[in-house]
Amino acid sequence: MKNLIAMACIAIPLASFAKEHSHAHGAHVHGVAQIDVAIEGKTLLIALESPADNLLGFERTPKTEAEKAKLKAVTEQLKQAAALFAPDAAAQCKAATPVVNMPSFKKGEHSDIDAEYRFDCTSVPASIALPLWKNFPNFKKLTANIASDKGQKQVTLKSGQNLNLK
């Protein structure tokens, strides 16, 4: 799955990718996240990269019991693909077990959360609803890099918008 996502990222024009991908230089913007979407046959792959603050409300080692509980709850929520992504029902997609990488919270560093999702579908989905807007209201903007047999494109989504794959 990482190879497909990596190929999708490489296929996106470098200029636009570099413009939106400031994270590669160690900085990130709270409220902004990136998803890489690859469609190969009837397989839909989605990689999410987000500042931890978008999901947790903080990006340092949890200090209080409430923060520790929040970290645990968000980790479990991220393991539920439906909490973030919902391909259109007509595609009859089934989610595989996701890979969720929580931050190590090294002192003085920005902390990101990365997760990878795989859906096996009976047909290619036309759209993906994004319950992440409702479940994680700190998300304000998503940059979506999309690669499929029809080509590559990059779109910017604002809170509440769904991802159109046509």
Side-chain angles (χ1 to χ4, degrees):
M1 181 158 86
K2 287 182 178 181
N3 289 339
L4 288 173
I5 297 299
M7 287 175 28
C9 290
I10 291 169
I12 300 296
L14 292 177
S16 63
F17 186 77
K19 177 181 171 187
E20 295 292 328
H21 201 69
S22 61
H23 174 72
H25 302 288
H28 63 215
V29 178
H30 293 181
V32 178
Q34 177 176 305
I35 56 173
D36 295 324
V37 179
I39 302 166
E40 184 175 284
K42 295 177 183 173
T43 301
L44 169 66
L45 305 171
I46 302 172
L48 168 70
E49 180 179 331
S50 172
D53 186 76
N54 292 347
L55 298 136
L56 297 169
F58 58 90
E59 55 180 37
R60 54 170 168 63
T61 302
K63 294 180 180 176
T64 67
E65 289 303 316
E67 289 175 344
K68 291 175 185 174
K70 177 77 174 188
L71 177 63
K72 184 177 179 181
V74 166
T75 301
E76 290 304 314
Q77 201 169 7
L78 289 172
K79 292 178 182 176
Q80 306 299 317
L84 293 106
F85 309 105
D88 69 271
Q92 299 180 9
C93 298
K94 293 186 180 183
T97 302
V99 176
V100 177
N101 297 308
M102 297 305 280
S104 59
F105 298 115
K106 293 181 182 176
K107 187 174 182 178
E109 291 185 6
H110 290 279
S111 296
D112 289 333
I113 294 174
D114 301 310
E116 298 173 358
Y117 300 88
R118 176 189 172 115
F119 296 88
D120 295 311
C121 308
T122 58
S123 63
V124 176
S127 64
I128 303 172
L130 300 169
L132 68 88
W133 297 122
K134 180 180 175 189
N135 293 325
F136 299 102
N138 287 341
F139 281 112
K140 304 298 181 208
K141 179 177 140 185
L142 280 178
T143 299
N145 300 308
I146 305 164
S148 70
D149 60 351
K150 296 178 181 174
Q152 302 87 37
K153 66 180 178 179
Q154 183 180 67
V155 296
T156 300
L157 302 172
K158 293 181 180 174
S159 183
Q161 290 184 305
N162 293 327
L163 182 59
N164 185 346
L165 297 175
K166 290 185 176 182

